[in-house]
Amino acid sequence: METPLFPRESGQFIAERSRDVFVEDDGVQKVAEMLYALRHSDDLTASGWKKANPLAPPPTSDQALNWVFVVDTMNFSFWPEKETQQCEVTFKGTTYTGYMTLCAAITRAMEEGIPITNPKYFSQMSVEELGHILRSDNETPMPMLHERHQVLTEGGRVLLEHGGSFRSFVSQAGNNARKMVELIVEKIPSYRDEAVYEGKRISFYKRAQILVADFWGIMEARGQGDILNMDWLTMFADYRVPQALVYLGVLRYSDTLMQALKKGELLGSGDQREVEIRGCSIWSVELIKDRLCKLVQERDGQTCIVNSAVIDFYLWPYAKQHHKEMAHIPIHHTRCIYY
């Protein structure tokens, strides 16, 4: 079996052949200018990660790395069947929806004394135990409980085979972001986010790349963030950032795709349109990064240190903050364990 193209090459391959999703040069320039104006702010650094996720344990704590492993292993498919029926988790007086329900539920479990960040525990926990940990405040449960249980126990068993912690597992890849992604994808099946497009095997590796970026965010906060090859990571192709890219004029959907999404059509994982949305998102952020670095070089005479992961760390909260203005742009719906 041929090896899949890596995410960046996959994005380019898809964008050059895409029939329903298009990358718009004017939008790429606009967002590059927007990010250029923010180039000195915390929004475009790894420390923006902690600000975006106040529910994570302090980065200096031993639990922080296993916490991101648990969360990133189950980081998929939070969209509700009906907008009015959102899963909600309240923690310390704040009610969360979407991805943040998972973060709140895991941190709540830790406060309740459940050893949810210990692979010995989560590698053999029951579906009922996980259901209790992920319990919702209302009638709407978090989707895909059985799949979350399957991937978390599987991930825990892999950690136990490799030193018993995420830190010991990932250290086998040295300090190299690309090798970390390759290791995660090789050893943990649920992270193999791949598809076939126009006869070519391609990959997105959304959760594997987020896991490495979160690891980097924690190490950076500890003053140990000198991880090689961070620039190899792409954006994390999900359903929230593409909506922001359409809103900002970076991506354009064909009329037929826009109509299908507005009707609420479910796209299967690996569907041509779903692959194009994700692939063009990856490639457009690569173009934004290149354009931004060109602006920094031309105007400031400096080398640009912004990578695609940091741009994603900015775009994802941006999408959350502007969700009302973006409500007319449909997100695509795909129920799967990859995002």
Side-chain angles (χ1 to χ4, degrees):
M1 233 168 133
E2 63 165 337
T3 325
L5 294 174
F6 282 123
R8 175 184 282 113
E9 291 70 30
S10 296
Q12 182 173 11
F13 179 84
I14 293 161
E16 286 169 355
R17 292 160 181 80
S18 182
R19 303 191 290 278
D20 283 295
V21 185
F22 310 98
V23 180
E24 301 285 280
D25 196 62
D26 289 353
V28 168
Q29 182 67 28
K30 181 177 106 175
V31 174
E33 292 280 3
M34 189 169 101
L35 297 177
Y36 177 78
L38 293 167
R39 68 197 181 285
H40 298 309
S41 82
D42 265 359
D43 289 336
L44 286 186
T45 64
S47 65
W49 174 86
K50 180 63 190 160
K51 206 164 67 180
N53 202 341
L55 291 166
T60 47
S61 72
D62 290 343
Q63 287 180 314
L65 292 171
N66 281 353
W67 184 93
V68 297
F69 179 79
V70 168
V71 165
D72 289 342
T73 299
M74 295 191 286
N75 178 1
F76 53 82
S77 206
F78 297 103
W79 51 272
E81 295 292 338
K82 293 185 181 144
E83 272 309 314
T84 51
Q85 294 177 351
Q86 290 257 25
C87 169
E88 292 178 350
V89 172
T90 303
F91 179 66
K92 292 195 169 170
T94 304
T95 299
Y96 298 95
T97 59
Y99 161 71
M100 298 305 277
T101 56
L102 175 64
C103 302
I106 299 303
T107 301
R108 175 180 67 186
M110 288 168 66
E111 297 248 327
E112 290 169 352
I114 299 170
I116 184 59
T117 58
N118 183 340
K120 282 187 180 142
Y121 173 75
F122 67 73
S123 63
Q124 51 189 3
M125 69 193 308
S126 67
V127 178
E128 291 72 27
E129 285 171 306
L130 184 61
H132 172 73
I133 287 166
L134 300 182
R135 68 192 181 277
S136 171
D137 293 348
N138 57 26
E139 301 300 302
T140 307
M142 198 178 292
M144 301 181 82
L145 174 64
H146 286 271
E147 290 84 353
R148 290 183 207 280
H149 175 260
Q150 190 182 339
V151 300
L152 186 59
T153 51
E154 167 197 89
R157 288 192 294 272
V158 173
L159 296 193
L160 291 180
E161 288 161 12
H162 297 273
S165 72
F166 178 56
R167 182 71 193 267
S168 61
F169 168 70
V170 84
S171 65
Q172 298 171 82
N175 241 14
N176 187 311
R178 172 179 172 167
K179 287 185 175 159
M180 288 178 194
V181 171
E182 291 178 312
L183 174 73
I184 293 162
V185 167
E186 180 200 342
K187 301 286 184 193
I188 312 177
S190 78
Y191 280 89
R192 287 176 206 147
D193 180 6
E194 299 166 0
V196 174
Y197 181 77
E198 300 281 333
K200 194 96 179 145
R201 281 188 74 207
I202 49 106
S203 70
F204 302 111
Y205 298 150
K206 180 253 184 179
R207 289 195 293 110
Q209 295 199 85
I210 284 192
L211 184 51
V212 171
D214 282 347
F215 175 73
W216 174 60
I218 289 172
M219 300 313 281
E220 186 81 9
R222 294 179 178 185
Q224 301 165 5
D226 50 346
I227 292 170
L228 305 172
N229 247 345
M230 279 303 292
D231 203 40
W232 182 83
L233 299 184
T234 65
M235 63 77 77
F236 318 125
D238 67 352
Y239 47 85
R240 185 64 68 194
V241 174
Q243 182 194 31
L245 292 169
V246 173
Y247 174 74
L248 291 164
V250 176
L251 293 184
R252 177 172 57 82
Y253 292 167
S254 71
D255 291 344
T256 51
L257 174 57
M258 194 59 109
Q259 289 316 313
L261 297 182
K262 282 186 171 166
K263 278 193 313 211
E265 186 182 329
L266 266 180
L267 304 185
S269 182
D271 179 284
Q272 166 242 323
R273 298 160 299 174
E274 184 249 4
V275 167
E276 288 181 0
I277 290 169
R278 300 182 78 201
C280 291
S281 296
I282 285 177
W283 188 239
S284 69
V285 171
E286 291 306 304
L287 296 177
I288 290 166
K289 179 186 71 177
D290 292 347
R291 195 72 55 90
L292 172 63
C293 289
K294 204 171 162 196
L295 293 177
V296 170
Q297 183 66 53
E298 286 170 358
R299 294 175 187 174
D300 305 346
Q302 289 177 342
T303 308
C304 177
I305 52 164
V306 170
N307 58 48
S308 298
V310 162
I311 295 176
D312 190 288
F313 282 161
Y314 173 76
L315 287 172
W316 193 83
Y318 178 92
K320 284 287 250 190
Q321 286 152 15
H322 295 81
H323 70 100
K324 286 196 173 80
E325 299 98 296
M326 293 188 199
H328 63 290
I329 299 161
I331 65 169
H332 72 282
H333 288 130
T334 301
R335 272 278 179 243
C336 67
I337 62 166
Y338 302 117
Y339 65 100

